[in-house]
Amino acid sequence: PNTAHRGLGNNARYTTEALREKGVSADWFPCAVTDIVYRVMEHKPKVVVIMAVWVTVEEIERLAKTFPATQFVVKAHSGPQFLAQEGKAWATWMACGELNKKLGNVRLAVVREDFHAGLKAMGVPCVCLPFMFSESEFVEARKAVETRAPRGERGVFKIGLFGAFRPLKNAVGGAMAAALAVNRLRTSYDAVELHVNQRVEMGSACDMEIIESICNRAGIGLVKHAWLDREGFRKLQSTMDVCLCPTFSETFCIVAADAVMVGTPVVGTPAVYWLPKEQQINPDNTQLMADAIVDSGAFEAVFQLNSLEQYNRLATETFTVTLASLGVTAAIPKP
């Protein structure tokens, strides 16, 4: 209901745009649980994707019984590591999957093939619906990359450490890497700034306090930003010299993708598996992360965009084949 400008909302928006380009009638709605039934009655869709585990098992069952011609898919955007931190979300999600045995028109969905394979091994009725962008997004991204001004020396070196603070996002580790990089950065720049959002979730209440302490002791300017919509966020990312995503676990990482789309170098981890290998840094190794921050000016904006686009082609094919298996025949990809 309240995720229009968060990861889930952007995911829904990007997915809808991509499907429309493929000739699929698609739409997305931020709405309360009680409004879902009216959306289904109005549009009579073949497939309804519930974005994340936020609707009760009882409500999913009522919807599935009321609309037997519609496939209801409950999608988990996180992997098992994040789901383990979200209370009873795993149990609720599994219970939704059990409805498939009873009704046949309820399934679970995940973003990554490895998680999909694991669930299939458990006998869970699951499909894979990866995160994807529309082709027009890449047209605009190439323009942004081509027109981005080269990074100069002196002035302020800006490090973006964006997204909500959560334990597995490793924000404190990223801030420590920035502190380790400061002395080398000062040989070419007058000052260093760390830019963050002000959003804390899932047991990371102390992250901001610790990051403030790190910045104060290392002589790094800390700049706090409000939670922004997509356009405002990408504009902010485009002003960074590097965006840091030191995450331990991801299924995709929209924050990194948005930075790539505006041509900002990204220092990620193996969890952001679609990044070029030299930009996938061990999140447990502060020294390697600091080295990558200093060396990030050598990262090719076009190369990282190409890597994202290559991922996107495969993801789009997987997504559309999955929809075709659920009855959306217009989604069958062209040879």
Side-chain angles (χ1 to χ4, degrees):
N2 300 311
T3 58
H5 298 311
R6 302 179 195 171
L8 291 178
N10 285 333
N11 189 323
R13 182 187 297 107
Y14 291 142
T15 300
T16 297
E17 292 171 355
L19 289 175
R20 287 174 175 171
E21 284 189 355
K22 295 294 181 182
V24 178
S25 175
D27 214 335
W28 71 284
F29 303 100
C31 62
V33 173
T34 51
D35 291 335
I36 296 175
V37 63
Y38 299 109
R39 299 292 188 183
V40 180
M41 288 174 63
E42 178 184 1
H43 295 280
K44 299 179 177 60
K46 291 183 179 179
V47 177
V48 169
V49 181
I50 306 294
M51 304 287 269
V53 189
W54 63 281
V55 179
T56 65
V57 182
E58 294 75 19
E59 184 61 24
I60 295 291
E61 183 172 5
R62 280 193 290 269
L63 287 166
K65 286 180 177 178
T66 304
F67 305 101
T70 297
Q71 294 287 332
F72 289 89
V73 182
V74 185
K75 186 173 182 179
H77 297 268
S78 303
Q81 298 89 341
F82 272 105
L83 281 172
Q85 296 185 318
E86 296 187 6
K88 297 187 179 298
W90 175 269
T92 299
W93 194 48
M94 288 293 109
C96 289
E98 288 297 312
L99 290 176
N100 181 268
K101 299 175 183 178
K102 186 177 179 180
L103 301 171
N105 62 331
V106 179
R107 286 177 174 79
L108 306 184
V110 293
V111 177
R112 286 182 54 163
E113 288 284 3
D114 54 350
F115 195 10
H116 181 222
L119 289 166
K120 285 178 67 178
M122 294 163 51
V124 177
C126 182
V127 297
C128 190
L129 295 175
F131 187 89
M132 62 178 178
F133 289 101
S134 66
E135 293 177 5
S136 60
E137 283 281 344
F138 285 96
V139 173
E140 293 303 314
R142 294 208 174 273
K143 293 178 183 176
V145 168
E146 291 169 1
T147 57
R148 181 180 171 90
R151 184 164 74 184
E153 293 190 347
R154 307 321 316 173
V156 179
F157 186 90
K158 298 181 179 180
I159 303 171
L161 182 61
F162 296 119
F165 290 164
R166 296 178 176 180
L168 289 174
K169 295 290 188 179
N170 193 28
V172 170
M176 182 62 72
L180 187 56
V182 163
N183 286 339
R184 282 179 288 167
L185 290 172
R186 284 186 181 135
T187 64
S188 300
Y189 296 90
D190 298 323
V192 178
E193 291 179 348
L194 184 68
H195 292 248
V196 300
N197 295 122
Q198 299 180 75
R199 188 186 183 91
V200 177
E201 300 174 355
M202 297 170 65
S204 282
C206 294
D207 281 18
M208 185 64 79
E209 180 181 344
I210 295 170
I211 289 171
E212 287 177 344
S213 174
I214 290 172
C215 289
N216 286 337
R217 292 173 183 272
I220 300 174
L222 180 61
V223 183
K224 301 177 183 178
H225 298 272
W227 199 257
L228 303 169
D229 61 20
R230 177 180 64 169
E231 291 73 20
F233 182 54
R234 283 189 173 182
K235 183 176 181 180
L236 173 62
Q237 284 183 305
S238 71
T239 66
M240 298 294 112
D241 292 288
V242 63
C243 279
L244 187 58
C245 297
T247 177
F248 288 115
S249 177
E250 290 289 336
T251 49
F252 177 75
C253 195
I254 296 177
V255 170
D258 280 339
V260 167
M261 287 287 196
V262 295
T264 299
V266 174
V267 174
T269 73
V272 192
Y273 57 97
W274 49 264
L275 276 173
K277 292 299 182 184
E278 61 269 25
Q279 295 174 228
Q280 298 179 22
I281 311 302
N282 180 355
D284 273 327
N285 193 316
T286 307
Q287 183 65 63
L288 290 179
M289 190 72 66
D291 293 344
I293 293 171
V294 175
D295 297 337
S296 61
F299 295 166
E300 291 286 344
V302 171
F303 188 40
Q304 61 181 18
L305 182 60
N306 288 344
S307 295
L308 178 58
E309 190 167 20
Q310 182 179 21
Y311 154 84
N312 197 66
R313 283 194 293 268
L314 296 173
T316 301
E317 181 178 352
T318 298
F319 199 112
T320 52
V321 167
T322 297
L323 284 188
S325 73
L326 297 176
V328 185
T329 53
I332 297 175
K334 297 177 181 179

